[in-house]
Amino acid sequence: MVAMNAIISASELASGLAGANPPVLLDVRWQLSLAQAPFDGRAEYAAGHIPGAVYVDLDSELAAAPDERGRHPLPDLDVFGAAMRRAGVSTGTPVVVYDGGLGWAAARAWWLLRWTGHPDVRVLDGGLPTWEGELQTSAPTPPAGDFEPVPGAMGLLDADGAAALARSGVLFDARAGERYRGEVEPIDRVGGHIPGAVSAPTNDNVGTDGRLLPAEQLAERFKSLGAGGGSDVGVYCGSGVSAAHEVLALAVAGIPAALYVGSWSEWSSDPKRPIAVGSDPQ
């Protein structure tokens, strides 16, 4: 994970799209919906997207159906690979992923592509709101790509691995502080955190403009929280989406990190697993 290759600005993307080897562009607009009317990313895409972008659905193509592994478990690799090839993704072609600005869904797609071996994937920093060019409403049909996912190129944690890393290295909890402390829990069975995990909310990695903080600031932040000293680092969140954005931020800071995809939605579903509450990691 080379820091300069993890993200791309809107101006850099515009130049790349006009160049000799334009990137494949994926629109992954998604947001966690707790209201009765769920967010419709496909409708948002149809209303206007960056020209050439293909819509990818997080819930059905970047994750499997919710089960005992959590709310957004790893997708079936055949399903994921087919979705990427449909979008025109090939191993030798750069890929840029964007969402509506939060960055979480785009980072999930970035992480999956990097984890399954694609060498050149970047996230549009700040997402669609940073794009100043025209938008397109028609859906393109790019030539099929040849990407075949081969997992293992980035770190992946299961529940046991996350518990062990919280003791032997640094395990970040990317959720909001009040969920980490167990003061509120709007989604999962119970609040709190994995014993030993350190609170590191994803939202603190971005500025008021929605873009990631500069690499030096991110490195200082993670260093102050215990990372960057040679210890292994991992991240979890509620269901492995916002944590992917923290893995992205760590990559920009030059710190490799593993993702616990099952995250709190898997961990908290088993009453036998220990739970810590309060601001103390233990």
Side-chain angles (χ1 to χ4, degrees), residues 172 216-229 250 253 255:
F172 287 138
E216 296 78 10
Q217 285 184 243
L218 290 170
E220 278 299 314
R221 181 191 185 218
F222 292 126
K223 181 180 179 181
S224 72
L225 294 171
L250 282 154
I255 302 170

Side-chain angles (χ1 to χ4, degrees), residues 257-282:
L259 177 65
Y260 174 23
V261 173
S263 285
W264 189 249
S265 60
E266 179 188 39
W267 183 275
S268 64
S269 68
D270 185 348
K272 296 179 181 178
R273 293 194 183 104
I275 290 174
V277 296
S279 57
D280 189 326
Q282 307 306 324

Side-chain angles (χ1 to χ4, degrees), residues 5-237:
N5 288 337
I7 58 175
I8 186 172
S9 69
S11 60
E12 290 170 328
L13 174 59
S15 296
L17 290 172
N21 187 30
V24 171
L25 198 54
L26 306 181
D27 184 312
V28 197
R29 273 178 275 182
W30 170 92
Q31 66 186 42
L32 182 63
S33 297
L34 300 179
Q36 289 184 342
F39 176 82
D40 190 341
R42 194 174 296 276
E44 294 288 327
Y45 168 82
H49 51 269
I50 298 176
V54 175
Y55 180 74
V56 176
D57 184 70
L58 185 145
D59 289 320
S60 64
E61 295 174 317
L62 304 182
D67 59 20
E68 68 279 358
R69 297 173 299 160
R71 280 183 279 109
H72 289 105
L74 287 173
D76 180 284
L77 289 182
D78 289 339
V79 172
F80 173 66
M84 294 300 100
R85 291 188 294 274
R86 170 186 62 81
V89 174
S90 293
T91 301
T93 304
V95 179
V96 172
V97 190
Y98 73 88
D99 58 23
L102 191 60
W104 296 2
R108 171 75 175 221
W110 167 83
W111 183 87
L112 278 168
L113 279 164
R114 293 289 291 112
W115 176 66
T116 54
H118 199 289
D120 189 354
V121 189
R122 285 179 284 179
V123 169
L124 176 58
D125 193 19
L128 185 61
T130 67
W131 179 255
E132 297 181 351
E134 65 177 3
L135 296 178
Q136 181 181 50
T137 55
S138 60
T141 54
D146 63 14
F147 180 67
E148 295 287 346
V150 178
M154 291 183 71
L156 173 67
L157 296 170
D158 59 12
D160 290 341
L165 184 58
R167 303 298 182 190
S168 65
V170 181
L171 180 66
F172 287 138
D173 184 317
R175 298 172 300 158
E178 58 268 24
R179 292 183 69 190
Y180 170 88
R181 296 187 295 271
E183 297 166 358
V184 299
E185 182 44 62
I187 308 170
D188 295 312
R189 184 184 68 86
V190 65
H193 59 269
I194 297 173
V198 176
S199 179
T202 294
N203 288 343
D204 291 347
N205 295 324
V206 299
T208 56
D209 60 358
R211 294 177 174 87
L212 282 170
L213 297 174
E216 296 78 10
Q217 285 184 243
L218 290 170
E220 278 299 314
R221 181 191 185 218
F222 292 126
K223 181 180 179 181
S224 72
L225 294 171
S231 297
D232 290 336
V233 179
V235 189
Y236 75 94
C237 59

